[in-house]
Amino acid sequence: MPRPHSSRTSGRKSSRPAVDYRTRQPASPYELEVLPGLEQVAETELAGVALARDIHGLRFWYPGDPERLTRLRAAVAVYRVHSWDVPRPRGLLGNQQLGELLSYLRGVVEYGGHRSFRISAAGKESAVMQRLAEEIQRGLELPHDPAEGELVLRLRPEENGPGWEVLARLTPRPLSARAWRECNMSGGLNATIAYAAHKLAGQRDEDRIFNPMCGSGTLLIERALMGPYDAMVGVDISESAVECTRTNLKAARKEIEVARIDALQTGLPPRSFDLVMADLPWGDAVGSHRSNAALYPAFLTEMHRLTSKRGRLCVITHEIKLLEGVLREQTAWDARELFQVYSGGHYPKAYLLQKR
Ligand SMILES: C[S@@+](CC[C@H](N)C(=O)[O-])C[C@H]1O[C@@H](n2cnc3c(N)ncnc32)[C@H](O)[C@@H]1O
């Protein structure tokens, strides 16, 4: 049975893919890279990939078209994996191993169309890694760009074996760098976090959704791409943020109404929405701790007015102490934590609030 980690029975690994005995098709091992904290969401999404087999956490075998894997929305990146029975990276420079390595990487480049490569490994400045980079550059006729290389190669010791493995990123850009993101703004949410928040807050076709501080539109667009909803609108107090959202919506080919309005003074009737998704100012790139101290309680009160009887409010923030303090002092909402994630040097949390 194919396993995600290299089989130790045949000695040196072959670069040919193993055969998945259930589908009789050649299968390759893959691994997902995920923001720490979103592993469960990514594993659930992976479980929905019909042909993925022998799933162990974020490692799995897959015999199908890799294009399906590049559509995963909870993962930052997807890598193809190959392992060798060599005690240290120097072993990859042996004639046979190097031939296998180049043929494996050629397959990845053929798929992804990468125009350069880089190595990401402990000791990547060492003489052995430099030699490896030279051989790959020559063998694949692909420029080595240590800072921005599109084909990211991760070298590391096998987790459950004595050898080394090389992970090659399937796509030139991370999956989290969405094709729709033409406009970025400081404080923009990583799209995989937006996806996870929507999944865990509940995806319902009948939801009327409000995104009160839409920024560049990440939560709006990720939800629009996930499937049907009844209605969705976004607002932001900043004109440039609204423009940024509109640019991204156009790139995503999604028509969602957005406007420059203070989320606390929309003038909308009570119970207008079933789900409010909010990535509040975190007090560093956007807003300040001082202004947030006034904003957060007022926001919870106004969103309570705007949500339906069984409405949900999902809040994402890095101002954890502040939000948890405000939640302790109110009685209108029941709150539970959905996840905490590590992203861009921050540890934001997502909460789901339901009306009492
Ligand atoms: C953390 S950013 C949101 C980032 C967004 N999720 C993204 O991916 O780009 C917070 C946003 O809240 C907006 N904002 C702050 N106070 C607001 C208010 N009272 N009404 C509407 N928007 C507000 C800011 O202009 C900013 O765009």
Side-chain angles (χ1 to χ4, degrees):
M1 181 164 86
R3 294 186 302 131
H5 295 287
S6 81
S7 154
R8 314 314 313 159
T9 52
S10 59
R12 188 175 34 72
K13 293 290 290 178
S14 160
S15 62
R16 279 177 299 150
V19 170
D20 183 318
Y21 73 95
R22 275 157 294 199
T23 60
R24 300 268 170 228
Q25 287 178 34
S28 303
Y30 290 89
E31 184 171 312
L32 300 182
E33 180 186 345
V34 170
L35 291 180
L38 299 189
E39 295 85 352
Q40 281 288 316
V41 181
E43 285 172 29
T44 303
E45 189 186 22
L46 180 58
V49 177
L51 294 176
R53 298 278 179 251
D54 300 296
I55 301 174
H56 296 275
L58 301 170
R59 286 282 280 249
F60 59 101
W61 285 77
Y62 182 70
D65 183 346
E67 192 276 337
R68 171 68 186 88
L69 305 178
T70 65
R71 283 190 278 118
L72 291 169
R73 309 198 73 80
V76 167
V78 57
Y79 290 81
R80 193 173 282 174
V81 186
H82 202 320
S83 11
W84 282 265
D85 268 348
V86 293
R88 52 190 72 85
R90 181 188 294 279
L92 296 173
L93 289 165
N95 260 351
Q96 181 135 10
Q97 289 84 348
L98 191 58
E100 285 179 5
L101 175 64
L102 292 176
S103 127
Y104 152 62
L105 295 180
R106 240 174 246 124
V108 176
V109 173
E110 229 164 70
Y111 172 75
H114 311 71
R115 290 165 305 179
S116 55
F117 78 95
R118 69 183 133 127
I119 294 179
S120 159
K124 63 180 176 183
E125 310 297 342
S126 69
V128 170
M129 292 292 181
Q130 298 291 327
R131 232 331 271 297
L132 207 51
E134 281 164 25
E135 295 290 356
I136 293 171
Q137 175 159 287
R138 193 169 24 247
L140 297 184
E141 294 177 18
L142 204 62
H144 179 212
D145 178 346
E148 304 280 338
E150 293 183 344
L151 174 64
V152 178
L153 302 177
R154 288 164 58 192
L155 268 75
R156 65 185 188 200
E158 280 185 304
E159 207 173 288
N160 296 323
W164 276 72
E165 57 190 20
V166 179
L167 290 82
R169 193 173 75 190
L170 268 189
T171 51
R173 279 156 42 96
L175 301 180
S176 53
R178 305 293 206 231
W180 56 255
R181 191 177 284 290
E182 284 186 2
C183 174
N184 211 343
M185 53 171 262
S186 171
L189 194 62
N190 181 299
T192 68
I193 301 179
Y195 172 87
H198 276 297
K199 275 288 166 198
L200 297 179
Q203 182 185 344
R204 299 179 190 164
D205 295 3
E206 62 276 19
D207 273 341
R208 296 164 299 158
I209 305 170
F210 182 41
N211 179 205
M213 299 178 174
C214 63
S216 59
T218 315
L219 282 160
L220 290 172
I221 296 169
E222 285 300 307
R223 179 61 185 85
L225 294 171
M226 282 164 73
Y229 46 84
D230 184 62
M232 184 151 62
V233 290
V235 302
D236 200 288
I237 206 162
S238 141
E239 186 61 47
S240 60
V242 170
E243 274 314 307
C244 191
T245 291
R246 288 194 178 125
T247 302
N248 288 332
L249 280 169
K250 200 165 162 207
R253 296 205 180 87
K254 293 290 172 192
E255 282 183 23
I256 297 168
E257 212 177 316
V258 286
R260 184 187 163 266
I261 300 178
D262 184 336
L264 303 189
Q265 309 203 16
T266 56
L268 289 167
R271 296 181 292 286
S272 292
F273 302 103
D274 307 300
L275 173 64
V276 177
M277 297 293 298
D279 174 22
L280 295 177
W282 295 2
D284 45 18
V286 181
S288 68
H289 298 293
R290 202 193 167 103
S291 57
N292 285 346
L295 175 72
Y296 278 37
F299 174 78
L300 290 191
T301 303
E302 174 61 5
M303 292 310 115
H304 195 271
R305 189 187 74 80
L306 285 180
T307 46
S308 55
K309 202 165 164 213
R310 304 172 75 86
R312 296 110 69 210
L313 164 59
C314 176
V315 177
I316 303 167
T317 184
H318 192 246
E319 288 263 40
I320 292 166
K321 226 170 136 184
L322 170 62
L323 182 67
E324 292 188 353
V326 173
L327 287 173
R328 269 195 300 276
E329 289 187 4
Q330 58 81 48
T331 52
W333 296 101
D334 278 324
R336 71 183 165 92
E337 189 180 314
L338 292 179
F339 58 79
Q340 182 164 30
V341 60
Y342 178 65
S343 171
H346 291 89
Y347 291 90
K349 279 188 182 183
Y351 303 81
L352 187 63
L353 281 57
Q354 284 182 291
K355 272 182 147 176
R356 282 209 171 123

